[in-house]
Amino acid sequence: MNAVSKKKLSATCVLFVLIVIAALVPYQQALAYGDLQIAAWKAPDDITIDAYLGDWNTSFPIVLNHADQLVRDANQWTGPEDLSARVYVMWDLANLYLAAEIQDDTPFMYREGFPPDMADAIVLYFSTDAEADPHRASYDATDFRLTMIIDDYLFNTGLDRDMVGNACGLETRGDGGDEQILDGYEYAVREVNGGYIYEARIPWANFANDQIPVLVPEAGMVIGFDLAMYDLDFPCPGVATVSMVWTGSDEGSTNPSTWGSLVFR
């Protein structure tokens, strides 16, 4: 073998080794938002928050109902009658609207002093920046994790911003489960056979300040989005709280690239 051939062989071996090493190193960042996408329909002008969904377009729900979506205390989930949901989203220029038909055999579980993640609750993960990089593996200032306790009593809320490097003045609030941190939050709940129906109006202005612009949605706009539910069956210290996530990822609290997306219609 001549010197030129030896050099080519050596370069090929080096390239092969680098490819193998790259394949073995864990990839920390998802390719982008996942394949799941939910349509948020434009809300009617006369919508009433009353837990009756006759004025809702329910043709494209977020569905939580199978074991692959469990991310915490999965061994405590006994099936869809224990916890499952069909969730709907609408919007207008001032508000995000949320409705959910929820199966829960022990609804409205809450204990004073429990954090929101240890009560019956819905969690929203979303961005207010349609231009945000869908490959990002850490939270921007325009990424939010909002928890809404469903207890048929106080309906407290919490905003988790501890994972945001620069929160730009919108800091964590309500993490003790004993605050209402949303201005203009309107909600209703109605118990039905096997569970309940929940409906809410959440003003976009809660996720903006002089450093973070308010989201102004328009038809065709796409943002990162995910949704989770917590289910507490017994309001006692140390009792497991099942968690189920739309995308099935347990990384949504730190890595937005694991979210799905929401398109405004």
Side-chain angles (χ1 to χ4, degrees), residues 72 81-84 102-112 114-123 146-158 177 185 189 191 194-196 198 228-235 239-243:
R72 189 175 75 187
E81 71 286 347
D82 184 16
L83 174 65
S84 59
I102 298 167
Q103 282 190 278
D104 185 350
D105 54 0
T106 56
F108 311 134
M109 285 294 162
Y110 167 76
R111 178 183 169 92
E112 189 172 354
F114 272 32
D117 293 0
M118 297 297 292
D120 281 359
I122 293 178
V123 183
L146 174 68
T147 304
M148 295 164 289
I149 295 174
I150 304 175
D151 58 3
D152 197 26
Y153 178 46
L154 296 172
F155 291 88
N156 286 330
T157 54
Y185 177 42
V189 66
E191 194 162 4
Y196 57 93
Y198 165 81
M229 289 202 67
Y230 292 112
D231 180 34
L232 176 66
D233 284 343
F234 302 99
V239 172
T241 306
V242 170
S243 179

Side-chain angles (χ1 to χ4, degrees), residues 75-255:
N75 63 331
Q76 299 297 312
W77 186 67
T78 59
E81 71 286 347
D82 184 16
L83 174 65
S84 59
R86 295 171 66 86
V87 184
Y88 315 99
V89 185
M90 295 199 299
W91 65 280
D92 61 27
L93 290 179
N95 304 285
L96 174 70
Y97 297 89
L98 192 70
E101 298 173 298
I102 298 167
Q103 282 190 278
D104 185 350
D105 54 0
T106 56
F108 311 134
M109 285 294 162
Y110 167 76
R111 178 183 169 92
E112 189 172 354
F114 272 32
D117 293 0
M118 297 297 292
D120 281 359
I122 293 178
V123 183
L124 300 183
Y125 308 83
F126 60 96
S127 172
T128 59
D129 180 8
E131 302 300 320
D133 180 6
H135 300 84
R136 68 194 183 284
S138 59
Y139 272 54
D140 290 340
T142 51
D143 293 326
F144 296 89
R145 180 181 184 273
L146 174 68
T147 304
M148 295 164 289
I149 295 174
I150 304 175
D151 58 3
D152 197 26
Y153 178 46
L154 296 172
F155 291 88
N156 286 330
T157 54
L159 187 66
D160 184 1
R161 301 279 283 172
D162 288 353
M163 74 293 280
V164 183
N166 179 5
C168 292
L170 285 180
E171 308 294 339
T172 292
R173 292 181 295 149
D175 54 336
D178 54 358
E179 294 182 61
Q180 179 51 260
I181 62 96
L182 292 176
D183 292 332
Y185 177 42
E186 187 179 351
Y187 52 84
V189 66
R190 178 168 59 91
E191 194 162 4
V192 296
N193 185 36
Y196 57 93
I197 296 173
Y198 165 81
E199 185 178 14
R201 184 198 318 263
I202 305 166
W204 294 116
N206 285 286
F207 314 104
N209 60 13
D210 58 355
Q211 300 179 64
I212 302 174
V214 66
L215 177 65
V216 181
E218 60 183 29
M221 179 184 287
V222 178
I223 60 172
F225 186 86
D226 206 351
L227 181 142
M229 289 202 67
Y230 292 112
D231 180 34
L232 176 66
D233 284 343
F234 302 99
C236 303
V239 172
T241 306
V242 170
S243 179
M244 183 176 279
V245 180
W246 177 42
T247 60
S249 173
D250 62 356
E251 299 181 38
S253 295
T254 56
N255 185 352

